Amino acid sequence: MKTTNLIRHVNETRCLRLLRRASPLSRADIARELGLTRATAGNVIAVLLQADLAMELTEQQEAAKVGRPGIRVALNPKGAFFIGIDVSSTWLTGVLVDFGGTLLKKIVVPNSKNFRDAGPVAQTIADLARRLVVGAGVDTKRVRGVGISVPGIVDRNGVVVSAKLLEWEDVDIGQLVATSLGAPWPIRVCNDAVALSAAIGALDTHDTEDLLVMLLSEGVGAAIIRNGRVAEGVSGFAGEIGHMVLSAKPEDAKSQTLGLLGGYGPFLSLLSDEQSIAEGLANLAAMPNPGRALEITLDTWAAVISVGLLNLIHILNPARIVLGGPLAVLFPRVQSKVEAVLGANLLHGLTLPPIEVAGSEADTVARGAAGTVRDGIFLLPELDQIGNGVPAGRPSQSAEIAAAYDGR
């Protein structure tokens, strides 16, 4: 971008972030909060209005003020829509949310028994995306992208390098979906723990605390959050705690892992075939008098989670730990046991960080996948990426705003 256009783009993004945090606001409020002249703020808002990302609201000023009703500006919930698809080996959960993050429609379908073949899965994802939009009666031109969450290692370009539960390696699922979809919607593929982080609002914040977000599902995943951003590591693979080996024997590296031992596999024999796994786990969590089989399974699971968390606290020293995913509903049953183990074994000088459960609903990760696309609109450009374009499979950040600046 040219320098002038870059400054305008930054101001637009700052305005959107401000409206997300405190909306509605008058033009004078926006100018004051952003340190802009009223003329500059007016130009910024005009572009957002034209892009349908903002709208004007006529409302009476506070009772203490006199004069004509003021026109305030707010985010336009119906100005943009986002699709989120959560992929597991058993189910595909799809959601459609508006710019305000409100859930408009949800569809859950079984994943193909041939889930190891990414081609049919991509076709199902594309069909699901179309059904969500048509079913909600949304203008396809206002759909700003599709977020796909996958239980595996995803590189910076959205390629699924390894998803053991799906038996995928080096699968460009985003490109496969784009080909099947045939719609000009940007597609972003992310790890399911990153999607969970977006769902609980841990991303793109001003919070400076180190946060560990753990997804307890078919396996165990995590996102390490620092200053509101995911710590990616040199290859973009940081946070893959599911591959943590819980054994001193090298030959156990493929079987005795936190992901395999701490996922919901041990609980499957206790679930009814007539319910989804998420529903079955929620029912187990609500049982007033769990049987002996469930108690034994919970004790074993608590021991695994305790060892995993102990290692992670020693390595990462997080300020807070947030758990999510369908299996997280069972954590309150074992929380006291886990915290007792941690408290007794933490390195001297370390304090046990608070552990909380959030986002255990069945559609949380899918909503987070949609949220990763939505959040892209609020991201400020990074200086080392200016002029490099947008990587394939990643949504542009307010591309329509940049186009407006260039007169296109």
Side-chain angles (χ1 to χ4, degrees):
M1 292 184 187
K2 297 178 182 178
T3 302
T4 302
N5 289 344
L6 172 62
I7 293 173
R8 290 175 178 173
H9 176 54
V10 169
N11 283 335
E12 294 287 351
T13 305
R14 292 176 64 217
C15 184
L16 286 171
R17 292 163 70 97
L18 175 62
L19 291 174
R20 180 176 59 172
R21 187 174 72 249
S23 180
L25 294 171
S26 69
R27 285 168 169 76
D29 292 333
I30 293 171
R32 181 175 59 256
E33 290 289 335
L34 299 182
L36 305 174
T37 65
R38 289 200 178 191
T40 300
N43 291 335
V44 166
I45 294 165
V47 176
L48 293 180
L49 293 173
Q50 184 177 8
D52 288 325
L53 296 179
M55 62 182 181
E56 292 183 328
L57 302 175
T58 302
E59 62 180 3
Q60 196 70 34
Q61 296 283 10
E62 293 86 354
K65 298 181 180 180
V66 296
R68 296 188 305 171
I71 297 178
R72 296 197 169 195
V73 179
L75 294 181
N76 181 8
K78 305 307 177 186
F81 300 90
F82 309 89
I83 298 167
I85 309 289
D86 178 36
V87 180
S88 77
S89 64
T90 53
W91 299 91
L92 297 177
T93 302
V95 299
L96 180 73
V97 302
D98 65 17
F99 195 28
T102 300
L103 176 66
L104 302 180
K105 191 167 184 63
K106 178 176 76 172
I107 300 175
V108 181
V109 298
N111 199 354
S112 167
K113 292 183 179 180
N114 191 26
F115 61 82
R116 297 170 186 82
D117 185 350
V121 176
Q123 182 62 60
T124 303
I125 291 173
D127 292 342
L128 188 53
R130 284 189 287 264
R131 287 176 59 192
L132 287 164
V133 174
V134 173
V138 166
D139 184 351
T140 57
K141 295 180 180 179
R142 294 194 176 222
V143 175
R144 300 302 179 99
V146 181
I148 302 171
S149 64
V150 178
I153 299 174
V154 180
D155 72 12
R156 299 177 189 275
N157 294 318
V159 175
V160 181
V161 176
S162 175
K164 292 189 177 299
L165 296 173
L166 299 172
E167 299 183 29
W168 290 0
E169 286 188 354
D170 301 320
V171 173
D172 192 347
I173 190 66
Q175 185 58 54
L176 291 174
V177 171
T179 300
S180 296
L181 190 59
W185 299 335
I187 296 174
R188 177 176 182 180
V189 182
C190 67
N191 171 274
D192 50 4
V194 172
L196 173 63
S197 301
I200 65 176
L203 301 183
D204 191 28
T205 68
H206 298 287
D207 198 340
T208 59
E209 71 175 0
D210 283 358
L211 179 67
L212 173 63
V213 178
M214 289 183 61
L215 178 71
L216 304 177
S217 184
E218 193 170 7
V220 179
I224 304 164
I225 311 299
R226 292 175 179 151
N227 298 320
R229 299 291 180 94
V230 176
E232 296 183 324
V234 65
S235 301
F237 301 163
E240 290 298 329
I241 66 171
H243 299 278
M244 180 190 300
V245 182
L246 303 184
S247 170
K249 299 179 181 179
E251 59 268 26
D252 289 339
K254 293 185 178 181
S255 60
Q256 302 298 303
T257 64
L258 179 60
L260 292 176
L261 300 178
Y264 58 54
F267 294 92
L268 292 180
S269 62
L270 305 175
L271 305 181
S272 169
D273 294 335
E274 299 177 355
Q275 296 177 314
S276 70
I277 292 173
E279 292 171 338
L281 292 172
N283 285 342
L284 291 181
M287 289 177 61
N289 298 306
R292 181 63 178 161
L294 177 56
E295 289 288 1
I296 293 174
T297 305
L298 284 172
D299 285 344
T300 303
W301 182 63
V304 171
I305 296 300
S306 297
V307 173
L309 283 174
L310 188 63
N311 283 312
L312 292 168
I313 293 171
H314 284 159
I315 295 170
L316 301 174
N317 189 25
R320 187 161 53 99
I321 299 173
V322 180
L323 309 179
L327 191 52
V329 295
L330 287 170
F331 184 75
R333 283 191 174 270
V334 301
Q335 185 164 3
S336 60
K337 294 179 181 179
V338 171
E339 291 181 345
V341 172
L342 296 177
N345 293 281
L346 277 178
L347 182 67
H348 176 71
L350 286 179
T351 302
L352 178 63
I355 304 173
E356 59 189 75
V357 176
S360 59
E361 292 80 5
D363 62 3
T364 297
V365 176
R367 295 178 71 164
T372 61
V373 183
R374 174 181 176 269
D375 288 346
I377 293 179
F378 298 99
L379 290 180
L380 290 166
E382 296 183 13
L383 294 179
D384 61 350
Q385 294 179 354
I386 293 172
N388 293 332
V390 180
R394 297 293 180 92
S396 61
Q397 299 176 3
S398 302
E400 70 287 338
I401 294 175
Y405 292 147
D406 293 335
R408 298 195 298 270

